[in-house]
Amino acid sequence: VNAYTVPARDVESLAKAIRILVEEPERRARFGEAGRNMVLGEFALSKVVEETLAVYRSLLLKPTQHVRR
């Protein structure tokens, strides 16, 4: 877990989540570490490059569709 989710426009829930993070530095640190690890895993350069190349390859392998006028 790297974050709390609260319903939109629910000020009470937002305030409660903020209060918990202010009062619990250990939890705040765990959330921060979990968030950092998620970003490093999901957005590692090698992974982004491979996923981008896969999209390009799939587009190049599709037969072209000509539009008739």
Side-chain angles (χ1 to χ4, degrees):
V1 176
N2 61 19
Y4 287 122
T5 56
V6 296
R9 298 181 185 88
D10 186 340
V11 177
E12 298 295 323
S13 292
L14 179 59
K16 180 180 177 183
I18 292 171
R19 189 175 310 111
I20 290 169
L21 293 175
V22 167
E23 294 173 353
E24 298 183 26
E26 298 86 13
R27 182 184 307 253
R28 195 170 57 240
R30 283 195 315 270
F31 276 22
E33 184 175 350
R36 182 176 192 280
N37 290 337
M38 188 259 319
V39 168
L40 290 175
E42 292 295 316
F43 301 105
L45 181 59
S46 59
K47 183 175 180 180
V48 172
V49 168
E50 278 305 313
E51 290 175 353
T52 302
L53 287 174
V55 170
Y56 289 161
R57 286 182 189 116
S58 72
L59 293 172
L60 289 172
L61 294 175
K62 282 186 177 182
T64 58
Q65 296 178 354
H66 299 284
V67 178
R68 295 182 184 218
R69 293 179 188 217

Short mmCIF file of all heavy atoms in Angstrom, two decimals:
data_model
loop_
_atom_site.label_atom_id
_atom_site.label_comp_id
_atom_site.label_asym_id
_atom_site.label_seq_id
_atom_site.Cartn_x
_atom_site.Cartn_y
_atom_site.Cartn_z
N VAL A 1 0.85 -1.18 0.00
CA VAL A 1 0.00 0.00 0.00
C VAL A 1 0.89 1.23 0.00
O VAL A 1 1.83 1.33 0.78
CB VAL A 1 -0.93 0.02 1.23
CG1 VAL A 1 -1.74 1.29 1.29
CG2 VAL A 1 -1.83 -1.20 1.26
N ASN A 2 0.60 2.18 -0.90
CA ASN A 2 1.42 3.38 -0.95
C ASN A 2 0.59 4.66 -0.89
O ASN A 2 1.10 5.75 -1.13
CB ASN A 2 2.31 3.39 -2.20
CG ASN A 2 1.54 3.36 -3.48
OD1 ASN A 2 0.37 3.68 -3.53
ND2 ASN A 2 2.20 2.98 -4.54
N ALA A 3 -0.70 4.52 -0.58
CA ALA A 3 -1.55 5.71 -0.52
C ALA A 3 -2.90 5.35 0.10
O ALA A 3 -3.27 4.18 0.17
CB ALA A 3 -1.78 6.28 -1.91
N TYR A 4 -3.58 6.37 0.54
CA TYR A 4 -4.99 6.23 0.92
C TYR A 4 -5.82 6.77 -0.21
O TYR A 4 -5.44 7.73 -0.89
CB TYR A 4 -5.31 7.06 2.17
CG TYR A 4 -4.75 6.50 3.46
CD1 TYR A 4 -3.89 7.27 4.24
CD2 TYR A 4 -5.10 5.24 3.90
CE1 TYR A 4 -3.39 6.78 5.43
CE2 TYR A 4 -4.60 4.75 5.09
CZ TYR A 4 -3.74 5.51 5.85
OH TYR A 4 -3.24 5.02 7.01
N THR A 5 -6.97 6.18 -0.43
CA THR A 5 -7.92 6.77 -1.36
C THR A 5 -9.11 7.25 -0.54
O THR A 5 -9.51 6.60 0.44
CB THR A 5 -8.39 5.78 -2.43
OG1 THR A 5 -8.94 4.62 -1.80
CG2 THR A 5 -7.23 5.35 -3.32
N VAL A 6 -9.62 8.37 -0.93
CA VAL A 6 -10.79 8.93 -0.25
C VAL A 6 -11.80 9.32 -1.31
O VAL A 6 -11.43 9.66 -2.44
CB VAL A 6 -10.44 10.14 0.64
CG1 VAL A 6 -9.51 9.74 1.76
CG2 VAL A 6 -9.82 11.25 -0.18
N PRO A 7 -13.07 9.26 -0.98
CA PRO A 7 -14.09 9.65 -1.95
C PRO A 7 -13.95 11.13 -2.35
O PRO A 7 -13.55 11.97 -1.54
CB PRO A 7 -15.41 9.43 -1.20
CG PRO A 7 -15.07 8.48 -0.08
CD PRO A 7 -13.64 8.78 0.28
N ALA A 8 -14.28 11.41 -3.58
CA ALA A 8 -14.23 12.78 -4.07
C ALA A 8 -15.14 13.66 -3.22
O ALA A 8 -16.23 13.25 -2.82
CB ALA A 8 -14.68 12.83 -5.54
N ARG A 9 -14.67 14.84 -2.93
CA ARG A 9 -15.41 15.87 -2.19
C ARG A 9 -15.73 15.48 -0.75
O ARG A 9 -16.59 16.08 -0.12
CB ARG A 9 -16.68 16.26 -2.94
CG ARG A 9 -16.42 16.86 -4.30
CD ARG A 9 -17.72 17.24 -5.01
NE ARG A 9 -17.46 17.71 -6.35
CZ ARG A 9 -17.37 16.92 -7.42
NH1 ARG A 9 -17.55 15.62 -7.31
NH2 ARG A 9 -17.12 17.43 -8.61
N ASP A 10 -15.05 14.46 -0.23
CA ASP A 10 -15.28 14.03 1.15
C ASP A 10 -14.18 14.63 2.03
O ASP A 10 -13.14 14.01 2.26
CB ASP A 10 -15.29 12.51 1.24
CG ASP A 10 -15.67 12.00 2.62
OD1 ASP A 10 -15.56 12.76 3.61
OD2 ASP A 10 -16.05 10.81 2.72
N VAL A 11 -14.42 15.83 2.49
CA VAL A 11 -13.42 16.57 3.25
C VAL A 11 -13.06 15.85 4.54
O VAL A 11 -11.89 15.83 4.94
CB VAL A 11 -13.93 18.00 3.53
CG1 VAL A 11 -12.95 18.78 4.38
CG2 VAL A 11 -14.19 18.73 2.22
N GLU A 12 -14.03 15.26 5.19
CA GLU A 12 -13.78 14.55 6.45
C GLU A 12 -12.81 13.39 6.25
O GLU A 12 -11.88 13.20 7.02
CB GLU A 12 -15.09 14.06 7.07
CG GLU A 12 -16.06 15.17 7.43
CD GLU A 12 -15.53 16.07 8.53
OE1 GLU A 12 -14.85 15.56 9.45
OE2 GLU A 12 -15.78 17.29 8.46
N SER A 13 -13.04 12.59 5.22
CA SER A 13 -12.16 11.45 4.95
C SER A 13 -10.76 11.91 4.58
O SER A 13 -9.77 11.30 4.99
CB SER A 13 -12.73 10.58 3.83
OG SER A 13 -13.91 9.95 4.25
N LEU A 14 -10.66 12.96 3.80
CA LEU A 14 -9.37 13.50 3.42
C LEU A 14 -8.61 13.99 4.65
O LEU A 14 -7.43 13.70 4.83
CB LEU A 14 -9.52 14.63 2.40
CG LEU A 14 -8.24 15.29 1.94
CD1 LEU A 14 -7.30 14.28 1.29
CD2 LEU A 14 -8.56 16.43 0.98
N ALA A 15 -9.31 14.72 5.51
CA ALA A 15 -8.68 15.23 6.73
C ALA A 15 -8.20 14.07 7.61
O ALA A 15 -7.11 14.13 8.18
CB ALA A 15 -9.66 16.12 7.49
N LYS A 16 -9.00 13.01 7.70
CA LYS A 16 -8.62 11.85 8.51
C LYS A 16 -7.36 11.19 7.95
O LYS A 16 -6.44 10.86 8.70
CB LYS A 16 -9.77 10.84 8.56
CG LYS A 16 -9.46 9.62 9.38
CD LYS A 16 -10.65 8.66 9.39
CE LYS A 16 -10.30 7.40 10.16
NZ LYS A 16 -11.40 6.43 10.13
N ALA A 17 -7.30 11.01 6.63
CA ALA A 17 -6.13 10.39 6.01
C ALA A 17 -4.88 11.25 6.22
O ALA A 17 -3.81 10.73 6.55
CB ALA A 17 -6.38 10.18 4.51
N ILE A 18 -5.00 12.54 6.07
CA ILE A 18 -3.87 13.44 6.29
C ILE A 18 -3.42 13.40 7.74
O ILE A 18 -2.23 13.33 8.04
CB ILE A 18 -4.22 14.88 5.86
CG1 ILE A 18 -4.39 14.94 4.34
CG2 ILE A 18 -3.17 15.87 6.33
CD1 ILE A 18 -4.94 16.26 3.82
N ARG A 19 -4.39 13.40 8.64
CA ARG A 19 -4.07 13.36 10.08
C ARG A 19 -3.28 12.10 10.42
O ARG A 19 -2.29 12.14 11.15
CB ARG A 19 -5.35 13.44 10.90
CG ARG A 19 -5.12 13.62 12.39
CD ARG A 19 -6.42 13.83 13.18
NE ARG A 19 -7.27 14.85 12.61
CZ ARG A 19 -8.46 14.62 12.01
NH1 ARG A 19 -8.93 13.38 11.93
NH2 ARG A 19 -9.18 15.60 11.54
N ILE A 20 -3.70 10.97 9.89
CA ILE A 20 -3.01 9.71 10.15
C ILE A 20 -1.56 9.81 9.68
O ILE A 20 -0.63 9.42 10.39
CB ILE A 20 -3.73 8.53 9.47
CG1 ILE A 20 -5.06 8.26 10.16
CG2 ILE A 20 -2.85 7.27 9.48
CD1 ILE A 20 -5.96 7.29 9.41
N LEU A 21 -1.35 10.33 8.48
CA LEU A 21 0.02 10.42 7.96
C LEU A 21 0.87 11.42 8.74
O LEU A 21 2.07 11.20 8.92
CB LEU A 21 -0.02 10.79 6.47
CG LEU A 21 -0.61 9.70 5.56
CD1 LEU A 21 -0.72 10.21 4.14
CD2 LEU A 21 0.22 8.44 5.62
N VAL A 22 0.27 12.49 9.20
CA VAL A 22 1.01 13.47 10.01
C VAL A 22 1.41 12.86 11.34
O VAL A 22 2.54 13.04 11.81
CB VAL A 22 0.17 14.75 10.22
CG1 VAL A 22 0.77 15.63 11.28
CG2 VAL A 22 0.03 15.51 8.90
N GLU A 23 0.51 12.08 11.93
CA GLU A 23 0.75 11.54 13.26
C GLU A 23 1.55 10.24 13.27
O GLU A 23 2.03 9.82 14.33
CB GLU A 23 -0.59 11.31 13.96
CG GLU A 23 -1.33 12.61 14.24
CD GLU A 23 -2.74 12.40 14.78
OE1 GLU A 23 -3.21 11.24 14.82
OE2 GLU A 23 -3.38 13.41 15.15
N GLU A 24 1.71 9.60 12.11
CA GLU A 24 2.40 8.30 12.07
C GLU A 24 3.54 8.32 11.05
O GLU A 24 3.39 7.89 9.91
CB GLU A 24 1.40 7.19 11.72
CG GLU A 24 0.30 7.04 12.75
CD GLU A 24 -0.64 5.90 12.44
OE1 GLU A 24 -0.23 4.94 11.76
OE2 GLU A 24 -1.79 5.98 12.89
N PRO A 25 4.71 8.81 11.48
CA PRO A 25 5.84 8.90 10.55
C PRO A 25 6.28 7.55 9.98
O PRO A 25 6.74 7.50 8.84
CB PRO A 25 6.95 9.54 11.38
CG PRO A 25 6.51 9.49 12.80
CD PRO A 25 5.03 9.30 12.81
N GLU A 26 6.13 6.47 10.73
CA GLU A 26 6.50 5.15 10.21
C GLU A 26 5.63 4.76 9.03
O GLU A 26 6.10 4.24 8.02
CB GLU A 26 6.42 4.08 11.31
CG GLU A 26 7.35 4.30 12.47
CD GLU A 26 6.75 5.23 13.54
OE1 GLU A 26 5.54 5.50 13.50
OE2 GLU A 26 7.53 5.69 14.39
N ARG A 27 4.33 5.00 9.16
CA ARG A 27 3.40 4.69 8.07
C ARG A 27 3.71 5.56 6.86
O ARG A 27 3.73 5.10 5.72
CB ARG A 27 1.95 4.90 8.52
CG ARG A 27 0.93 4.53 7.43
CD ARG A 27 -0.49 4.84 7.87
NE ARG A 27 -0.82 4.26 9.15
CZ ARG A 27 -1.64 3.22 9.33
NH1 ARG A 27 -2.20 2.65 8.29
NH2 ARG A 27 -1.89 2.78 10.53
N ARG A 28 3.97 6.83 7.13
CA ARG A 28 4.32 7.78 6.07
C ARG A 28 5.56 7.29 5.32
O ARG A 28 5.61 7.29 4.09
CB ARG A 28 4.54 9.15 6.68
CG ARG A 28 4.55 10.28 5.73
CD ARG A 28 4.54 11.64 6.44
NE ARG A 28 5.64 11.82 7.38
CZ ARG A 28 5.49 12.05 8.69
NH1 ARG A 28 4.30 12.14 9.22
NH2 ARG A 28 6.53 12.21 9.46
N ALA A 29 6.55 6.81 6.05
CA ALA A 29 7.78 6.31 5.44
C ALA A 29 7.51 5.04 4.62
O ALA A 29 8.05 4.88 3.52
CB ALA A 29 8.83 6.03 6.51
N ARG A 30 6.66 4.15 5.14
CA ARG A 30 6.31 2.93 4.39
C ARG A 30 5.59 3.27 3.10
O ARG A 30 5.88 2.69 2.04
CB ARG A 30 5.44 2.00 5.24
CG ARG A 30 6.18 1.24 6.30
CD ARG A 30 5.36 0.07 6.86
NE ARG A 30 3.99 0.40 7.19
CZ ARG A 30 3.57 0.86 8.38
NH1 ARG A 30 4.44 1.04 9.36
NH2 ARG A 30 2.30 1.11 8.60
N PHE A 31 4.66 4.21 3.16
CA PHE A 31 3.95 4.64 1.96
C PHE A 31 4.93 5.22 0.95
O PHE A 31 4.87 4.93 -0.25
CB PHE A 31 2.90 5.70 2.29
CG PHE A 31 1.58 5.16 2.77
CD1 PHE A 31 1.46 3.89 3.31
CD2 PHE A 31 0.44 5.95 2.71
CE1 PHE A 31 0.25 3.41 3.78
CE2 PHE A 31 -0.79 5.48 3.15
CZ PHE A 31 -0.88 4.20 3.68
N GLY A 32 5.85 6.06 1.43
CA GLY A 32 6.84 6.66 0.53
C GLY A 32 7.71 5.61 -0.13
O GLY A 32 7.96 5.67 -1.34
N GLU A 33 8.19 4.65 0.64
CA GLU A 33 9.04 3.59 0.10
C GLU A 33 8.27 2.73 -0.89
O GLU A 33 8.78 2.39 -1.96
CB GLU A 33 9.61 2.74 1.22
CG GLU A 33 10.58 1.69 0.74
CD GLU A 33 11.23 0.92 1.87
OE1 GLU A 33 11.07 1.30 3.05
OE2 GLU A 33 11.90 -0.08 1.55
N ALA A 34 7.04 2.38 -0.55
CA ALA A 34 6.23 1.56 -1.45
C ALA A 34 5.94 2.30 -2.76
O ALA A 34 5.99 1.71 -3.84
CB ALA A 34 4.92 1.16 -0.77
N GLY A 35 5.67 3.58 -2.66
CA GLY A 35 5.43 4.39 -3.86
C GLY A 35 6.66 4.46 -4.74
O GLY A 35 6.59 4.32 -5.97
N ARG A 36 7.81 4.67 -4.12
CA ARG A 36 9.07 4.74 -4.87
C ARG A 36 9.35 3.42 -5.56
O ARG A 36 9.72 3.38 -6.74
CB ARG A 36 10.22 5.10 -3.93
CG ARG A 36 11.55 5.24 -4.63
CD ARG A 36 12.64 5.69 -3.65
NE ARG A 36 13.83 6.08 -4.35
CZ ARG A 36 14.75 5.24 -4.82
NH1 ARG A 36 14.59 3.94 -4.65
NH2 ARG A 36 15.82 5.69 -5.45
N ASN A 37 9.17 2.31 -4.85
CA ASN A 37 9.41 1.00 -5.44
C ASN A 37 8.47 0.73 -6.61
O ASN A 37 8.87 0.14 -7.62
CB ASN A 37 9.28 -0.10 -4.39
CG ASN A 37 10.42 -0.07 -3.40
OD1 ASN A 37 11.49 0.44 -3.69
ND2 ASN A 37 10.18 -0.60 -2.21
N MET A 38 7.22 1.15 -6.48
CA MET A 38 6.27 0.97 -7.57
C MET A 38 6.71 1.75 -8.81
O MET A 38 6.70 1.23 -9.92
CB MET A 38 4.87 1.42 -7.12
CG MET A 38 3.77 1.10 -8.10
SD MET A 38 3.17 2.43 -9.18
CE MET A 38 3.08 3.85 -8.18
N VAL A 39 7.12 2.99 -8.62
CA VAL A 39 7.56 3.82 -9.74
C VAL A 39 8.81 3.23 -10.38
O VAL A 39 8.91 3.15 -11.61
CB VAL A 39 7.80 5.28 -9.28
CG1 VAL A 39 8.54 6.08 -10.34
CG2 VAL A 39 6.48 5.96 -8.95
N LEU A 40 9.78 2.80 -9.58
CA LEU A 40 10.99 2.21 -10.13
C LEU A 40 10.69 0.95 -10.94
O LEU A 40 11.31 0.71 -11.98
CB LEU A 40 11.99 1.89 -9.01
CG LEU A 40 12.62 3.10 -8.33
CD1 LEU A 40 13.50 2.64 -7.16
CD2 LEU A 40 13.43 3.92 -9.31
N GLY A 41 9.72 0.17 -10.49
CA GLY A 41 9.36 -1.05 -11.20
C GLY A 41 8.55 -0.80 -12.45
O GLY A 41 8.79 -1.39 -13.51
N GLU A 42 7.59 0.09 -12.36
CA GLU A 42 6.69 0.34 -13.49
C GLU A 42 7.29 1.24 -14.56
O GLU A 42 6.91 1.17 -15.71
CB GLU A 42 5.38 0.97 -12.99
CG GLU A 42 4.53 0.04 -12.17
CD GLU A 42 4.02 -1.14 -12.97
OE1 GLU A 42 3.57 -0.95 -14.12
OE2 GLU A 42 4.09 -2.26 -12.44
N PHE A 43 8.19 2.11 -14.18
CA PHE A 43 8.70 3.10 -15.12
C PHE A 43 10.21 3.00 -15.33
O PHE A 43 10.85 3.97 -15.72
CB PHE A 43 8.31 4.50 -14.66
CG PHE A 43 6.82 4.67 -14.55
CD1 PHE A 43 6.20 4.70 -13.31
CD2 PHE A 43 6.03 4.76 -15.68
CE1 PHE A 43 4.82 4.83 -13.20
CE2 PHE A 43 4.66 4.88 -15.58
CZ PHE A 43 4.05 4.93 -14.35
N ALA A 44 10.78 1.82 -15.08
CA ALA A 44 12.20 1.61 -15.36
C ALA A 44 12.42 1.82 -16.85
O ALA A 44 11.59 1.43 -17.68
CB ALA A 44 12.61 0.20 -14.96
N LEU A 45 13.52 2.45 -17.20
CA LEU A 45 13.79 2.79 -18.59
C LEU A 45 13.70 1.57 -19.50
O LEU A 45 13.07 1.62 -20.56
CB LEU A 45 15.16 3.47 -18.72
CG LEU A 45 15.55 3.89 -20.13
CD1 LEU A 45 14.54 4.87 -20.71
CD2 LEU A 45 16.94 4.48 -20.14
N SER A 46 14.30 0.47 -19.09
CA SER A 46 14.29 -0.72 -19.94
C SER A 46 12.87 -1.22 -20.18
O SER A 46 12.53 -1.64 -21.30
CB SER A 46 15.13 -1.83 -19.31
OG SER A 46 14.63 -2.16 -18.04
N LYS A 47 12.02 -1.15 -19.17
CA LYS A 47 10.64 -1.61 -19.33
C LYS A 47 9.85 -0.68 -20.25
O LYS A 47 9.12 -1.14 -21.13
CB LYS A 47 9.95 -1.69 -17.96
CG LYS A 47 8.54 -2.21 -18.03
CD LYS A 47 7.92 -2.38 -16.67
CE LYS A 47 6.50 -2.91 -16.81
NZ LYS A 47 5.85 -3.11 -15.54
N VAL A 48 10.02 0.62 -20.08
CA VAL A 48 9.30 1.58 -20.92
C VAL A 48 9.75 1.44 -22.38
O VAL A 48 8.92 1.46 -23.30
CB VAL A 48 9.51 3.02 -20.40
CG1 VAL A 48 8.95 4.04 -21.37
CG2 VAL A 48 8.90 3.18 -19.01
N VAL A 49 11.05 1.27 -22.60
CA VAL A 49 11.56 1.11 -23.96
C VAL A 49 10.98 -0.14 -24.60
O VAL A 49 10.50 -0.12 -25.73
CB VAL A 49 13.10 1.07 -23.97
CG1 VAL A 49 13.64 0.61 -25.32
CG2 VAL A 49 13.66 2.45 -23.63
N GLU A 50 11.00 -1.27 -23.88
CA GLU A 50 10.47 -2.52 -24.42
C GLU A 50 8.98 -2.40 -24.75
O GLU A 50 8.52 -2.88 -25.78
CB GLU A 50 10.71 -3.68 -23.46
CG GLU A 50 12.09 -4.27 -23.58
CD GLU A 50 12.43 -4.71 -25.00
OE1 GLU A 50 11.62 -5.38 -25.66
OE2 GLU A 50 13.53 -4.35 -25.46
N GLU A 51 8.21 -1.78 -23.85
CA GLU A 51 6.77 -1.65 -24.09
C GLU A 51 6.50 -0.73 -25.29
O GLU A 51 5.59 -0.99 -26.08
CB GLU A 51 6.07 -1.13 -22.84
CG GLU A 51 6.03 -2.16 -21.73
CD GLU A 51 5.46 -1.63 -20.43
OE1 GLU A 51 5.19 -0.42 -20.32
OE2 GLU A 51 5.29 -2.44 -19.51
N THR A 52 7.29 0.33 -25.43
CA THR A 52 7.13 1.23 -26.56
C THR A 52 7.47 0.52 -27.87
O THR A 52 6.74 0.63 -28.86
CB THR A 52 8.01 2.48 -26.38
OG1 THR A 52 7.64 3.12 -25.16
CG2 THR A 52 7.83 3.46 -27.54
N LEU A 53 8.58 -0.22 -27.87
CA LEU A 53 8.95 -0.97 -29.07
C LEU A 53 7.89 -2.01 -29.44
O LEU A 53 7.61 -2.23 -30.62
CB LEU A 53 10.31 -1.65 -28.86
CG LEU A 53 11.52 -0.72 -28.87
CD1 LEU A 53 12.78 -1.49 -28.49
CD2 LEU A 53 11.68 -0.04 -30.22
N ALA A 54 7.30 -2.64 -28.44
CA ALA A 54 6.25 -3.63 -28.70
C ALA A 54 5.06 -2.98 -29.39
O ALA A 54 4.47 -3.56 -30.33
CB ALA A 54 5.81 -4.30 -27.40
N VAL A 55 4.70 -1.78 -28.98
CA VAL A 55 3.60 -1.08 -29.64
C VAL A 55 3.96 -0.76 -31.08
O VAL A 55 3.18 -1.00 -32.01
CB VAL A 55 3.24 0.22 -28.87
CG1 VAL A 55 2.26 1.07 -29.67
CG2 VAL A 55 2.67 -0.11 -27.51
N TYR A 56 5.16 -0.23 -31.30
CA TYR A 56 5.60 0.08 -32.66
C TYR A 56 5.61 -1.17 -33.54
O TYR A 56 5.14 -1.14 -34.68
CB TYR A 56 6.99 0.71 -32.65
CG TYR A 56 7.04 2.12 -32.11
CD1 TYR A 56 8.25 2.66 -31.67
CD2 TYR A 56 5.91 2.92 -32.01
CE1 TYR A 56 8.33 3.95 -31.16
CE2 TYR A 56 5.98 4.20 -31.50
CZ TYR A 56 7.19 4.71 -31.08
OH TYR A 56 7.26 5.99 -30.59
N ARG A 57 6.13 -2.26 -33.01
CA ARG A 57 6.18 -3.51 -33.78
C ARG A 57 4.78 -3.97 -34.15
O ARG A 57 4.53 -4.40 -35.27
CB ARG A 57 6.91 -4.59 -33.00
CG ARG A 57 8.39 -4.38 -32.94
CD ARG A 57 9.08 -5.53 -32.18
NE ARG A 57 10.47 -5.20 -31.96
CZ ARG A 57 11.03 -5.03 -30.77
NH1 ARG A 57 10.32 -5.22 -29.67
NH2 ARG A 57 12.30 -4.71 -30.65
N SER A 58 3.85 -3.91 -33.19
CA SER A 58 2.49 -4.37 -33.47
C SER A 58 1.83 -3.50 -34.53
O SER A 58 1.09 -4.00 -35.37
CB SER A 58 1.64 -4.38 -32.20
OG SER A 58 1.32 -3.07 -31.78
N LEU A 59 2.14 -2.21 -34.55
CA LEU A 59 1.58 -1.32 -35.56
C LEU A 59 2.19 -1.58 -36.93
O LEU A 59 1.50 -1.53 -37.96
CB LEU A 59 1.78 0.14 -35.16
CG LEU A 59 1.00 0.59 -33.92
CD1 LEU A 59 1.43 2.00 -33.51
CD2 LEU A 59 -0.49 0.53 -34.16
N LEU A 60 3.47 -1.88 -36.96
CA LEU A 60 4.14 -2.15 -38.23
C LEU A 60 3.69 -3.47 -38.84
O LEU A 60 3.72 -3.63 -40.06
CB LEU A 60 5.65 -2.16 -38.03
CG LEU A 60 6.28 -0.79 -37.76
CD1 LEU A 60 7.74 -0.95 -37.38
CD2 LEU A 60 6.14 0.12 -38.97
N LEU A 61 3.28 -4.42 -38.01
CA LEU A 61 2.88 -5.73 -38.52
C LEU A 61 1.42 -5.77 -38.97
O LEU A 61 1.01 -6.71 -39.64
CB LEU A 61 3.12 -6.80 -37.45
CG LEU A 61 4.59 -7.04 -37.11
CD1 LEU A 61 4.71 -8.03 -35.96
CD2 LEU A 61 5.36 -7.53 -38.32
N LYS A 62 0.64 -4.75 -38.61
CA LYS A 62 -0.76 -4.73 -39.02
C LYS A 62 -0.86 -4.40 -40.50
O LYS A 62 -0.12 -3.55 -41.01
CB LYS A 62 -1.54 -3.66 -38.24
CG LYS A 62 -1.90 -4.05 -36.85
CD LYS A 62 -2.79 -2.99 -36.24
CE LYS A 62 -3.21 -3.42 -34.86
NZ LYS A 62 -4.11 -2.44 -34.26
N PRO A 63 -1.76 -5.09 -41.21
CA PRO A 63 -1.94 -4.73 -42.62
C PRO A 63 -2.49 -3.30 -42.71
O PRO A 63 -3.28 -2.87 -41.88
CB PRO A 63 -2.97 -5.74 -43.12
CG PRO A 63 -3.46 -6.48 -41.93
CD PRO A 63 -2.61 -6.13 -40.75
N THR A 64 -2.04 -2.59 -43.71
CA THR A 64 -2.52 -1.21 -43.86
C THR A 64 -3.92 -1.23 -44.40
O THR A 64 -4.32 -2.08 -45.19
CB THR A 64 -1.60 -0.42 -44.80
OG1 THR A 64 -1.56 -1.07 -46.06
CG2 THR A 64 -0.21 -0.28 -44.22
N GLN A 65 -4.69 -0.28 -43.97
CA GLN A 65 -6.06 -0.14 -44.45
C GLN A 65 -6.13 1.13 -45.28
O GLN A 65 -5.81 2.22 -44.80
CB GLN A 65 -7.03 -0.05 -43.28
CG GLN A 65 -7.05 -1.31 -42.45
CD GLN A 65 -7.99 -1.17 -41.27
OE1 GLN A 65 -8.52 -0.10 -41.02
NE2 GLN A 65 -8.18 -2.24 -40.54
N HIS A 66 -6.48 0.97 -46.52
CA HIS A 66 -6.57 2.13 -47.41
C HIS A 66 -7.99 2.66 -47.38
O HIS A 66 -8.96 1.93 -47.40
CB HIS A 66 -6.20 1.74 -48.84
CG HIS A 66 -4.79 1.24 -48.94
ND1 HIS A 66 -3.72 2.08 -48.90
CD2 HIS A 66 -4.28 -0.02 -49.06
CE1 HIS A 66 -2.60 1.39 -49.01
NE2 HIS A 66 -2.92 0.11 -49.08
N VAL A 67 -8.08 3.96 -47.33
CA VAL A 67 -9.38 4.62 -47.34
C VAL A 67 -9.70 4.97 -48.79
O VAL A 67 -8.91 5.64 -49.46
CB VAL A 67 -9.37 5.88 -46.47
CG1 VAL A 67 -10.69 6.59 -46.53
CG2 VAL A 67 -8.97 5.53 -45.04
N ARG A 68 -10.84 4.53 -49.26
CA ARG A 68 -11.26 4.86 -50.63
C ARG A 68 -12.05 6.14 -50.61
O ARG A 68 -12.89 6.35 -49.75
CB ARG A 68 -12.11 3.75 -51.22
CG ARG A 68 -11.32 2.48 -51.40
CD ARG A 68 -12.18 1.44 -52.04
NE ARG A 68 -11.42 0.20 -52.12
CZ ARG A 68 -11.49 -0.61 -53.13
NH1 ARG A 68 -12.29 -0.37 -54.13
NH2 ARG A 68 -10.78 -1.71 -53.13
N ARG A 69 -11.81 6.93 -51.59
CA ARG A 69 -12.53 8.21 -51.67
C ARG A 69 -13.47 8.21 -52.83
O ARG A 69 -13.36 7.72 -53.83
CB ARG A 69 -11.54 9.37 -51.82
CG ARG A 69 -10.72 9.52 -50.56
CD ARG A 69 -9.76 10.64 -50.75
NE ARG A 69 -8.86 10.62 -49.61
CZ ARG A 69 -8.38 11.69 -49.04
NH1 ARG A 69 -8.70 12.86 -49.48
NH2 ARG A 69 -7.58 11.60 -48.03
#
